[in-house]
Amino acid sequence: MIKAVIVEDENKSRELLQSLVTKHCTGVQVVAAAGNVQEGVEAIKKNNPDLIFLDISMPDGTGFDLLEKISPVKSDIIFTTATDKYAIRAIKYSALDYLLKPIDTEELKNAVNKLLDKKSTGNTVENLAHLLQNLKQGNDSYQKITLPTTNAYEIVYVKDIIRCEADGSYTAFYLTEKRKLLASASLKHYEDLLPPNQFLRIHHHHLINVSHVIRYLKTDGGYAVMSDGSQLEISRRKKDDFLAMLNKI
């Protein structure tokens, strides 16, 4: 049985989440619930939970403020939020999980099960440190991204990503210094996440970092030659977008 603490400022939302966890998340026991940052800090220090359900916006601060106060964080975190797109983007960059309000039962179960399944790999401390570092920048031009692989979390510089290639429901990342990682998320996920002024989907299977393009071959419809030596076909409908981005470098 793992211990959980809920930090949520709205009474009804807090009670509903506690009810859902108790009813649908086997193996999880809610040992405390708090309504703001200060109460949350006290509940976490007192109970030393394995898991924290953490609201992002609260009257006396944010969930990120709470994390700073209890650093280093040794618990797994599932964030809860309504519409904070900036925070969600930062969370995704750090490969952490979140739930949108109103909370869906199946999404809650899936988020908890993912944490239970990966207990042996837990890199929560590094992921949260990465998240807080990104948030301190004050914008969404993050320098690093966390990639969840089969047995670890790899934090890489965005500028070191040469290209990404679809591999079923996974994505192969080709990095500088001949490094390669297989991340457990789709190419579409990373297309939406990586900066659109730097990365372009040139083909159904290929997402490239345009700054790593060293040559454009006009033969057979067009190919992008990348800094790792790969030659990638450019689909006809993406050719104009590719040339436009190339001209901006």
Side-chain angles (χ1 to χ4, degrees), residues 17-204:
L17 180 54
Q18 182 165 353
S19 174
L20 290 174
V21 171
T22 301
K23 185 176 181 180
H24 298 286
C25 300
T26 304
V28 179
Q29 179 186 9
V30 178
V31 294
N36 57 48
V37 171
Q38 187 55 43
E39 290 178 4
V41 170
E42 293 170 2
I44 291 164
K45 289 183 176 180
K46 178 180 178 180
N47 293 280
N48 191 27
D50 306 293
L51 171 61
I52 303 168
F53 292 94
L54 184 57
D55 193 7
I56 291 178
S57 299
M58 289 175 278
D60 59 339
T62 69
F64 308 124
D65 295 328
L66 181 148
L67 294 176
E68 292 269 359
K69 292 177 183 293
I70 63 171
S71 181
V73 183
K74 298 180 181 179
S75 310
D76 281 313
I77 308 291
I78 296 178
F79 293 96
T80 60
T81 186
T83 57
D84 195 333
K85 293 181 181 179
Y86 172 65
I88 290 173
R89 183 174 172 81
I91 291 166
K92 285 182 176 180
Y93 254 76
S94 304
L96 293 163
D97 221 333
Y98 68 94
L99 296 169
L100 285 175
K101 302 176 188 177
I103 292 173
D104 178 82
T105 302
E106 288 304 313
E107 291 180 358
L108 169 64
K109 289 164 63 177
N110 289 338
V112 170
N113 287 336
K114 276 199 294 184
L115 289 179
L116 294 175
D117 289 343
K118 72 181 184 185
K119 267 297 181 185
S120 60
T121 66
N123 247 5
T124 299
V125 174
E126 289 84 353
N127 289 21
L128 286 169
H130 176 209
L131 169 64
L132 295 173
Q133 181 184 40
N134 278 341
L135 287 167
K136 286 177 181 177
Q137 290 183 203
N139 58 54
D140 59 359
S141 299
Y142 307 130
Q143 295 183 0
K144 298 179 183 178
I145 185 170
T146 300
L147 304 178
T149 64
T150 304
N151 55 9
Y153 288 96
E154 302 287 346
I155 298 176
V156 303
Y157 281 98
V158 173
K159 66 179 177 61
D160 290 342
I161 301 170
I162 298 172
R163 60 189 181 94
C164 308
E165 184 174 341
D167 187 351
S169 58
Y170 293 81
T171 299
F173 277 75
Y174 293 84
L175 310 170
T176 55
E177 300 179 352
K178 298 182 179 181
R179 294 172 294 159
K180 180 183 177 182
L181 297 173
L182 187 63
S184 52
S186 70
L187 186 62
K188 181 64 167 63
H189 172 80
Y190 292 110
E191 180 186 10
D192 292 340
L193 196 56
L194 290 166
N197 62 336
Q198 187 178 353
F199 287 82
L200 178 68
R201 185 85 169 258
I202 61 168
H203 187 276
H204 179 68

